[in-house]
Amino acid sequence: MKKTLALLMTSALAVSGLAGCGNEGASGDGKVKIEFFQYKSEAKGTFDDLIQKFEKENPKIDVVQSNPPDSLTVLKTRVAKRDLPDVVGIGGDSAFGDIAKTGAFEDVSKDELVKDIQPAYTKMLKDVSKQTKLYGIPYSVNADAVIYNKTMFKELGLSVPQTWDEFINVAEKVKEAGKTPFYFTFKDAWTALPSYNVMAANTQGENFFKELDKGKTTFAKGHKEATDKFLTLLKYGHDAQNGKAYNDGNVAFAKGASAMYLQGIWAIPEIKKANPNIDLGVFPYPVTNTPGESKVVSGVDLLLAQTSTTKHPKEAKKFLQFLLADENIKTYIKAQNAFSAKKGIVQEDPSVEGLKESLARGAVTDFPDHYVPIAVGLEKQLQVLTENKDAKKFLKTLDQEWKKVKNR
């Protein structure tokens, strides 16, 4: 389905030469109107504030924010219809890759706005789109981490683990103390992804998906270690792991139901809503037994792209320059509890202190699921794995589904 849609968009745009209707950009008061389409509903208010600031500084430009439900489906439909917004903000995953291949976005490979962006993140966008050129500017990034209850760690005399064996030993000690090491929420299938992503990213090998594309490897080979380690983590969960959803987990962890929570940093604001006084921290998953070897799985949560059909490239570029100004990035990452993809801009929230060093030196790698087509159903297959614990069947199914999608 996804590949078919991508091909449909490619052919439609190739035939039209991307000369679509787009936003006419005319308003009755003589202002230039541009559309900013972005996919993060939780960031709408933050962007409303930034847009208001931009319009005050640029009184002849009107920015209209679009943030529809099921935004990626809406955007793909608009690409196919050649009705593109002027500026787009989406995640750096396979959906971005599909759209980038159609020529919908401007090439920013040599743009001055890219020179201060962490190279690790621009590489991720090239890799996921399978393009040599860059079709988006990484803006904010998120990360998978082990979120831990500092108070509970102190009470149990635990230190932050540096290796896989130490990690499992910490889980054992928590269990021996009669407490729950990890809280899982597999009623929402996607919540299996954070921990699995880290296991896979740090064990699959650097070129796994390139080799998979060429038929030179399989999930059965490349993801066996990740699957085994993921199943090991499940031994330290709680009863009814498949009956709890993401929101349940945020509240439960906030109230002390477990020592650790295997989620992304995006969960922290929700946890703090449930318990503003919780003393929590984060640390990188230690996947191997070599201290400091494991990379933090950190991907482009939001990229900014100027569309190639905009009738107002000067105004669209001005808006991009505004959003990428240091003070405005700081406003965004503070509100969204994210990290900046731009060098030198630090997330000041002490709760994510444990990840700063890894991100600052670029010891990061992308989310493996960004390279897996939706039709493969990775999160659904993981949900099944959490129930039947059958690693061999799980890996075999992934290989079968990958081949089906590839052959479409």
Side-chain angles (χ1 to χ4, degrees), residues 48-66:
D48 279 340
D49 292 341
L50 287 169
I51 288 168
Q52 187 175 17
K53 181 183 176 185
F54 173 79
E55 290 177 341
K56 190 174 181 180
E57 294 175 10
N58 300 274
K60 293 188 177 181
I61 305 174
D62 250 344
V63 179
V64 179
Q65 180 181 183
S66 297

Side-chain angles (χ1 to χ4, degrees), residues 61-359:
I61 305 174
D62 250 344
V63 179
V64 179
Q65 180 181 183
S66 297
N67 178 235
D70 202 9
S71 54
L72 289 176
T73 301
V74 172
L75 181 59
K76 285 185 174 184
T77 302
R78 289 185 62 176
V79 171
K81 290 180 176 179
R82 307 184 306 282
D83 174 30
L84 290 168
D86 301 282
V87 178
V88 169
I90 55 175
D93 56 14
S94 59
F96 160 72
D98 287 345
I99 297 171
K101 289 171 191 172
T102 70
F105 299 141
E106 280 289 310
D107 174 15
V108 291
S109 304
K110 297 179 181 178
D111 197 302
E112 278 292 300
L113 292 175
V114 177
K115 66 181 175 63
D116 292 326
I117 302 298
Q118 277 274 14
Y121 295 113
T122 55
K123 182 179 184 299
M124 286 177 191
L125 294 191
K126 289 181 180 180
D127 287 347
V128 79
S129 64
K130 299 179 183 177
Q131 304 289 306
T132 56
K133 295 179 179 179
L134 182 65
Y135 290 102
I137 303 170
Y139 189 65
S140 71
V141 300
N142 54 26
D144 279 342
V146 180
I147 304 173
Y148 73 107
N149 185 316
K150 287 186 173 182
T151 302
M152 200 177 293
F153 263 52
K154 286 174 188 173
E155 289 173 354
L156 298 177
L158 302 173
S159 300
V160 169
Q162 303 298 315
T163 67
W164 173 256
D165 286 347
E166 289 177 5
F167 189 31
I168 298 306
N169 189 45
V170 165
E172 285 283 359
K173 287 182 177 177
V174 173
K175 194 173 181 178
E176 287 168 6
K179 299 181 182 294
T180 300
F182 306 123
Y183 201 93
F184 293 116
T185 56
F186 299 137
K187 184 176 181 180
D188 287 330
W190 71 267
T191 65
L193 285 169
S195 51
Y196 185 81
N197 270 329
V198 182
M199 300 300 116
N202 282 285
T203 60
Q204 68 186 8
E206 197 170 329
N207 298 310
F208 174 73
F209 284 103
K210 289 179 181 177
E211 296 296 300
L212 191 63
D213 267 342
K214 296 174 185 175
K216 293 183 177 179
T217 190
T218 61
F219 282 101
K221 292 177 184 176
H223 278 210
K224 185 180 185 305
E225 183 178 350
T227 304
D228 290 343
K229 286 187 170 178
F230 176 76
L231 289 175
T232 297
L233 296 176
L234 301 195
K235 296 176 184 177
Y236 299 96
H238 52 93
D239 292 336
Q241 293 179 168
N242 289 77
K244 302 296 182 182
Y246 174 63
N247 290 334
D248 299 325
N250 294 335
V251 173
F253 179 76
K255 294 183 176 179
S258 69
M260 293 170 280
Y261 191 35
L262 306 182
Q263 256 301 343
I265 59 172
W266 52 81
I268 293 174
E270 297 304 310
I271 294 166
K272 288 183 174 179
K273 280 181 191 176
N275 180 4
N277 298 316
I278 187 171
D279 187 12
L280 61 77
V282 297
F283 60 84
Y285 283 79
V287 183
T288 74
N289 277 322
T290 302
E293 181 179 56
S294 300
K295 291 183 177 181
V296 171
V297 169
S298 173
V300 179
D301 187 50
L302 183 70
L303 63 90
L304 301 174
Q306 181 175 314
T307 58
S308 52
T309 58
T310 177
K311 294 184 177 180
H312 304 286
K314 189 184 294 184
E315 289 79 7
K317 181 68 175 286
K318 202 163 195 176
F319 184 55
L320 286 174
Q321 290 170 329
F322 168 84
L323 290 178
L324 284 154
D326 289 6
E327 64 182 278
N328 298 323
I329 294 176
K330 287 176 182 175
T331 296
Y332 180 86
I333 65 169
K334 182 178 181 180
Q336 297 300 311
N337 204 63
F339 287 92
S340 171
K342 191 175 182 181
K343 298 173 188 172
I345 299 178
V346 179
Q347 170 58 263
E348 300 294 345
D349 188 335
S351 66
V352 294
E353 178 71 36
L355 297 181
K356 287 181 182 178
E357 191 269 336
S358 293
L359 270 69

